[in-house]
Amino acid sequence: MNAARSASSAAASTRAPRRARRAGLAAFVGTTIEWYDFFIYGTASALVFGKLFFPDVSPAAGVLASFATFWVGFLARPLGGIVFGHFGDRMGRKGTLVTTLVMMGAATFLVGVLPTHAQIGTAAPLLLALLRAVQGIAVGGEWGGAVLMASENAPKGRGSLYAMLVQQGSPAGAILSTLVFLAAGTLDDAAFTSWGWRVPFLLSGLLVVVGLVIRLRVEESDDFERVKESGEVVKLPVAEVLRTAWRTVLLGIGASIMGISAAYFTNTFVLSWTTNELHMSRQTMLYVLLGITVVQFLWQPYAALLSERAGETRFMVCSLLVNVVVAVPMFLMIDTARPVLVFCGIALGIVSGSGYYAVLAGFLARAFPSRIRYTGISLSYQLCSTLIGGTTPLVAQSLLTSGGGSIWPVVAFYAVLLLVTSACVAALARSTGRRTPRVEPVPAAV
């Protein structure tokens, strides 16, 4: 009996690292595809949607209108967090994540075949907003589940490092979306406007198939299996979260602000600002953003490792405060409209801010107990995306327009978001009384 138990334990220890790596890979690939889908919409909003779906207004008003449909996806994200958080906490992470991936891919593909205003009139922007809402529901359920699939299967003490793989999906998705738009952007303006912009959306169908093949091979998370075996599955997770962890949700919303907003400052607002008001070429700015996302992708793993040594909360707050300091030179360099300076300016903000972003997923996951964790982190992150993230390009563009082109109101808005985020990260760490968990070595796979 003891020999059999020992053999079973040895086999489990052999499977554990392989299972952790497979879960991390599936979370990374699936989330990359989801963010690719989400980002290409933001890029298209800045470049073509105003012209194609809102042609009866001025160019500036068209950009604002396209950003408004961009925000629709953020309005829908909490609904996705509640719906998929419910099923994820009750039925498991794996099946929920397969559903979100299929939903996102289908909605994105349909945007690629959607008729424009010139073809079907006002139905075009309405259908565009509807498909954006489906995207929002899907990504609202995706992020929390992917974080848990990676972190709950991770070796002890390495939850934040494995959750960082989910955060890598954001720059990876941005890299893919930018590369595809760069390729489409080599077309002349007439071809790009008529059909070239559709190509990135149509490619989503192929990417989803790849993501499904990988994600279907992943086993259910260990933490959820323990909750199920112990009979602690909650009947109505959202009610339990609001009853027992509403303070944690509120602080989680605040702690997520800059993690969500930063991407839309650069990939949406700055792209629109530089190509419209500053008259930089579309291709030049796409190359700049590609370089920025590569920097972010390479830096985040090192940031996660540094946070293990420096202390998670201390590292996150310091990263955010450094970002406040560099905010002014960052926007001044972008305002020059010189590609090298624009790149350096955005890089200042990305390097300082993405260190915090790399650690955010694991930080939020450990704030909630396993039985309501999917719903808890999804509500925190997705409510923040609705209240702050989705409005970021809209507010920033409005401040720029109402300020007569002056960038200082936008700089102030950016700095306030950073300071509020810093305060909420520190408060959440204090309220949950957490310390960075002890890191244990990962056993070698046989």
Side-chain angles (χ1 to χ4, degrees):
M1 179 70 71
N2 289 338
R5 187 179 295 112
S6 297
S8 176
S9 177
S13 65
T14 298
R15 288 195 305 269
R18 186 182 303 115
R19 178 174 179 172
R21 288 194 295 270
R22 183 179 293 171
L25 175 64
F28 166 68
V29 172
T31 308
T32 296
I33 295 169
E34 294 262 4
W35 283 119
Y36 165 84
D37 288 353
F38 215 66
F39 282 144
I40 58 174
Y41 192 103
T43 304
S45 294
L47 297 178
V48 295
F49 280 173
K51 304 170 188 175
L52 296 178
F53 292 93
F54 307 96
D56 297 332
V57 297
S58 68
V63 171
L64 285 173
S66 67
F67 283 173
T69 64
F70 179 70
W71 186 34
V72 168
F74 289 87
L75 289 173
R77 281 168 69 166
L79 176 60
I82 292 171
V83 171
F84 290 110
H86 175 87
F87 290 111
D89 279 329
R90 285 190 53 80
M91 302 174 65
R93 317 328 192 187
K94 178 179 175 178
T96 304
L97 288 173
V98 169
T99 304
T100 60
L101 186 60
V102 171
M103 277 185 63
M104 176 63 90
T108 305
F109 183 86
L110 289 174
V111 171
V113 298
L114 187 64
T116 65
H117 187 280
Q119 295 168 307
I120 60 172
T122 55
L126 292 176
L127 289 172
L128 183 68
L130 176 62
L131 291 173
R132 181 59 174 175
V134 175
Q135 278 192 327
I137 292 170
V139 84
E142 162 71 21
W143 184 83
V147 168
L148 300 190
M149 183 63 75
S151 63
E152 291 180 349
N153 281 310
K156 186 175 181 181
R158 289 282 170 135
S160 287
L161 186 62
Y162 275 71
M164 179 275 303
L165 293 172
V166 177
Q167 304 300 73
Q168 287 291 83
S170 177
I175 289 169
L176 281 178
S177 66
T178 305
L179 284 173
V180 173
F181 265 104
L182 276 171
T186 59
L187 299 168
D188 59 61
D189 284 344
F192 179 79
T193 303
S194 65
W195 61 269
W197 67 271
R198 297 181 183 275
V199 174
F201 292 89
L202 299 177
L203 285 176
S204 176
L206 177 61
L207 293 176
V208 167
V209 172
V210 174
L212 282 175
V213 170
I214 296 172
R215 188 159 276 183
L216 287 170
R217 298 180 60 201
V218 178
E219 300 175 61
E220 188 54 80
S221 95
D222 290 334
D223 283 15
F224 177 76
E225 292 291 354
R226 283 192 287 270
V227 168
K228 189 167 64 172
E229 289 171 6
S230 64
E232 296 180 0
V233 175
V234 178
K235 289 186 178 180
L236 193 59
V238 66
E240 182 73 6
V241 168
L242 296 177
R243 184 179 68 85
T244 64
W246 61 270
R247 291 182 183 85
T248 305
V249 170
L250 290 178
L251 290 174
I253 291 171
S256 303
I257 287 174
M258 210 59 205
I260 294 172
S261 298
Y264 302 106
F265 257 109
T266 55
N267 291 342
T268 305
F269 166 71
V270 171
L271 177 60
S272 175
W273 173 37
T274 52
T275 55
N276 291 318
E277 282 81 4
L278 301 182
H279 306 293
M280 293 181 66
S281 77
R282 180 181 65 219
Q283 288 296 92
T284 297
M285 269 312 297
L286 288 175
Y287 277 120
V288 167
L289 293 180
L290 176 61
I292 290 299
T293 50
V294 170
V295 169
Q296 181 183 355
F297 185 82
L298 295 175
W299 164 240
Q300 284 187 170
Y302 290 103
L305 291 171
L306 285 173
S307 75
E308 288 186 343
R309 296 189 177 188
E312 194 175 71
T313 304
R314 185 183 301 113
F315 181 82
M316 293 174 75
V317 171
C318 287
S319 296
L320 289 164
L321 294 180
V322 168
N323 207 342
V324 174
V325 173
V326 305
V328 171
M330 167 185 161
F331 279 98
L332 286 177
M333 282 192 277
I334 296 171
D335 198 34
T336 65
R338 297 179 180 177
V340 173
L341 289 179
V342 171
F343 174 85
C344 292
I346 300 174
L348 281 177
I350 287 294
V351 170
S352 53
S354 63
Y356 137 83
Y357 179 74
V359 188
L360 177 62
F363 177 78
L364 285 179
R366 288 197 302 280
F368 295 93
S370 299
R371 69 184 190 281
I372 55 171
R373 186 173 290 156
Y374 200 139
T375 301
I377 68 169
S378 295
L379 270 181
S380 298
Y381 198 76
Q382 306 309 341
L383 282 172
C384 178
S385 75
T386 297
L387 298 172
I388 307 296
T391 61
T392 292
L394 188 62
V395 171
Q397 183 68 40
S398 298
L399 288 172
L400 185 70
T401 302
S402 63
S406 171
I407 199 60
W408 294 112
V410 180
V411 175
F413 174 52
Y414 185 83
V416 167
L417 293 182
L418 285 165
L419 291 172
V420 173
T421 305
S422 303
C424 290
V425 167
L428 182 57
R430 285 196 303 270
S431 71
T432 54
R434 294 184 293 109
R435 295 180 176 85
T436 301
R438 180 170 61 90
V439 177
E440 294 188 354
V442 181
V446 176

